Amino acid sequence: MAASVAAAARRLRRAIRRSPAWRGLSHRPLSSEPPAAKASAVRAAFLNFFRDRHGHRLVPSASVRPRGDPSLLFVNAGMNQFKPIFLGTVDPRSEMAGFRRVANSQKCVRAGGHHNDLEDVGRDLSHHTFFEMLGNWAFGGEYFKEEACNMAWELLTQVYGIPEERLWISYFDGDPKAGLDPDLETRDIWLSLGVPASRVLSFGPQENFWEMGDTGPCGPCTEIHYDLAGGVGAPQLVELWNLVFMQHNRLVLRRILRRAVRFSMEILKAPPGFLGSLVPVVVETLGDAYPELQRNSAQIANLVSEDEAAFLASLERGRRIIDRTLRTLGPSDMFPAEVAWSLSLCGDLGLPLDMVELMLEEKGVQLDSAGLERLAQEEAQHRARQAEPVQKQGLWLDVHALGELQRQGVPPTDDSPKYNYSLRPSGSYEFGTCEAQVLQLYTEDGTAVASVGKGQRCGLLLDRTNFYAEQGGQASDRGYLVRAGQEDVLFPVARAQVCGGFILHEAVAPECLRLGDQVQLHVDEAWRLGCMAKHTATHLLNWALRQTLGPGTEQQGSHLNPEQLRLDVTTQTPLTPEQLRAVENTVQEAVGQDEAVYMEEVPLALTAQVPGLRSLDEARELGQSLAQEVKAATERLSLGSRDVAEALRLSKDIGRLIEAVETAVMPQWQRRELLATVKMLQRRANTAIRKLQMGQAAKKTQELLERHSKGPLIVDTVSAESLSGAMPTFTAEAWALAVCSHMGGKAWGSRVVAQGTGSTTDLEAALSIAQTYALSQL
């Protein structure tokens, strides 16, 4: 196994070394060796790697002329022959139905249809009408993101021998308009593999979302790029690999159901519950072929009826909002993007944008698509800021804001209504609403205001809430609120978080909202149910680990949302595959028993009697210890630093303290308070470093001028100890570019040194530009 991969890798490396394309763009004579040798080396190394090291079955290339697929002129991607698997139409008796791990090299032609590269051929180095596409495929849940990324990285860096520092990564940044979140899981996988965050970039659906067509399986993708420039100047990236994770299906089944609800009610004038009444007809027609329909007919009918009933209320509210808005428009006015956006932002309680557009189209009204695109971009930028691992995420109340609330006598938020839900006879949950009053409003930068306006993102403090705030490792609720007496206007709530005993709701205001307004809160039921299921699964997993590994296994922390859960535990030894399988089986057996789940608030003292529960007093002691370290860092900063080196040491210590606070097992409210304080300390420390560096630079400059007072040229050395990264925006390359671009030229280089070209007859103006730019950065 290893010999075949190693031999192919050696042939590939020799071929790459002989190939000028891999050393950068250049005009060199063509190699005398036939090009097929290079392709065969790449192909052999790829196929041998996945077959021998990772147990993939090698599948021959399909013909470039599609068989039985009238939608394609030519086979244009390696996945074409596997379309029946992705579409769920594969014959269960066929050989393809048994595919699990597969690798192939597919001949492709792109000269027509959706993927047409013909117009780009000859204009760059990466488009061809005919090429081979190498691919590895996992079906039936054989493996997914983590394994795929690990395999790709292993092949590129260890087998092909490509330097890691030349590889860049892109991942999906989300698509708010389509209701798709950023693929942060993939981003974190690349970071865990050692790829620097500066070379892991996020892009939108145009670049990093893959789809077969307008309908069908689709999902985020992550691309690996090679830097032809090799770190000299700006990167010149060429795509090497595209890993596609098909985890969605265009027309994401509920949307189909909701369109059916609307048409059955508005077009067919059918009574409520009509769709659920059709389930027996479907079971009678298809039950023999699909016995699971007969077994689950009652459950299917209940789910359809409940979703229909929930959506009818949203649909009626949406229609009233649309009609009321249309009455305010002139004959040629477009429908406001803000109104459509607010209708779509409420998760499973809202109206999909495509349905809003359809309803407007039927009335002959055009939607402001440009405004909608602007709102989508703003939402993407907001999500990107929230996704930053180090920066403060979203709205937050710092110690000053909390102190002002306490001075005003504002009571902590009553969040007991978050437990106001009950179990229906059908087995589903019913969540109540919550009446509340607006006590405080904040702009996005944390400024307290008396009101917020149309389209503004804001923070709200209420006297009561039924939203579960982000705490205990569980993601916060989301949903919407309405003002009393104006139930047609939805204020989408994206998250809720605890700030020193207050619950801060992050919302978007489609219309004006003021202090004292009475509101009604609605949680997104599907989102809450997803969190509840993962919460229960966390307890089951913790129990199963203790059953399998013994009482020495202790939970250290967890994080969950409707999509996934993570449980952190300490064990005596690393878990074996057999132990993991046993844990999974134990959990599956417990789930299969379908026992009732009990919830109760109990005094903290009683939790000590619960086996396996993480010790809260352990957590509190660590929080107090970190609080003392933060206090000590504050005192060190107030004393000041004698020189740059001492200031840099303090800044690094504060950076390590931030990391410790972010990762420690401690009370969440204390973590938030300490993070706000310690990040403020780091800003102050960096400001002190800049002042010391400026003073040091001024002193060095004066010494140089005094030492070289005669002559037009200065040749000397300058200590590089201050090149610390504390002034990241002021780089040599950016400075040179600012000056040279004014002279019609260009510049290149790095943070420390740069050079450029340009021409001008006014040298004094160029020097003035250089001085102005430097002063603006300092």
Side-chain angles (χ1 to χ4, degrees), residues 626 653-664 671 675 678:
L626 287 172
D653 289 343
I654 294 175
R656 285 191 288 267
L657 193 54
I658 289 177
E659 184 178 358
V661 173
E662 285 179 331
T663 58
R671 185 198 315 279
L675 277 178
V678 79

Side-chain angles (χ1 to χ4, degrees), residues 31-345:
S31 170
S32 59
E33 184 170 337
K38 301 175 188 174
S40 63
V42 174
R43 187 190 310 111
F46 183 94
L47 296 177
N48 291 343
F49 172 81
F50 282 103
R51 180 191 63 195
D52 299 339
R53 287 196 189 180
H54 295 287
H56 286 62
R57 174 179 178 176
L58 301 187
V59 177
S61 169
S63 168
V64 295
R65 187 177 178 186
R67 306 296 185 191
D69 190 347
S71 66
L72 290 174
L73 291 173
F74 302 103
V75 166
N76 58 14
M79 57 73 58
N80 286 162
Q81 65 172 304
F82 307 119
K83 279 178 70 173
I85 300 179
F86 298 129
L87 294 173
T89 59
V90 64
D91 187 336
R93 300 164 297 180
S94 67
E95 181 184 29
M96 186 180 292
F99 286 174
R100 288 298 177 264
R101 293 185 178 213
V102 172
N104 67 331
S105 177
Q106 174 64 49
K107 304 183 294 292
C108 299
V109 174
R110 286 187 174 175
H114 182 63
H115 294 290
N116 180 7
D117 291 341
L118 187 59
E119 296 303 320
D120 294 317
V121 173
R123 300 177 186 271
D124 57 29
L125 297 179
S126 57
H127 286 89
H128 315 273
T129 49
F130 174 80
F131 59 95
E132 292 178 82
M133 187 176 288
L134 299 167
N136 59 296
W137 313 87
F139 304 117
E142 186 69 16
Y143 60 80
F144 202 43
K145 296 181 180 180
E146 184 171 6
E147 297 88 344
C149 293
N150 271 281
M151 292 176 190
W153 195 250
E154 179 187 1
L155 176 62
L156 292 178
T157 60
Q158 297 181 24
V159 177
Y160 287 167
I162 298 176
E164 294 185 5
E165 61 272 15
R166 284 206 167 195
L167 295 177
W168 291 63
I169 306 295
S170 65
Y171 69 94
F172 181 51
D173 192 28
D175 184 2
K177 187 175 179 181
L180 298 174
D181 291 329
D183 186 10
L184 303 184
E185 179 185 3
T186 298
R187 178 203 66 181
D188 293 341
I189 291 171
W190 289 119
L191 295 178
S192 71
L193 288 172
V195 185
S198 59
R199 297 207 306 271
V200 181
L201 311 178
S202 61
F203 294 97
Q206 195 70 25
E207 295 83 8
N208 279 95
F209 193 85
W210 190 93
E211 53 193 345
M212 255 192 249
D214 294 333
T215 62
C218 54
C221 62
T222 180
E223 296 177 345
I224 308 174
H225 304 263
Y226 179 81
D227 181 11
L228 295 171
V232 180
Q236 299 178 35
L237 302 182
V238 59
E239 179 187 339
L240 287 185
W241 204 320
N242 187 357
L243 294 164
V244 178
F245 307 122
M246 280 181 262
Q247 60 192 70
H248 305 290
N249 197 314
R250 189 71 74 185
L251 293 181
V252 196
L253 182 57
R254 175 168 274 133
R255 294 174 70 185
I256 297 175
L257 177 63
R258 293 187 169 181
R259 285 203 174 198
V261 170
R262 177 173 175 261
F263 279 107
S264 65
M265 185 186 73
E266 297 187 349
I267 307 300
L268 300 179
K269 307 300 181 184
F274 171 70
L275 289 181
S277 69
L278 297 180
V279 172
V281 180
V282 176
V283 173
E284 181 182 354
T285 306
L286 301 175
D288 291 338
Y290 304 101
E292 64 272 15
L293 294 178
Q294 295 176 337
R295 291 195 302 269
N296 303 313
S297 59
Q299 182 182 6
I300 295 170
N302 284 334
L303 288 174
V304 171
S305 298
E306 287 176 6
D307 198 75
E308 178 183 5
F311 183 61
L312 279 175
S314 296
L315 181 62
E316 182 61 30
R317 183 186 296 113
R319 189 194 299 108
R320 291 200 302 268
I321 294 173
I322 289 174
D323 290 342
R324 186 178 61 127
T325 305
L326 290 176
R327 288 195 293 270
T328 67
L329 301 181
S332 59
D333 290 344
M334 291 189 293
F335 193 85
E338 289 80 6
V339 178
W341 188 253
S342 69
L343 285 171
S344 70
L345 270 188

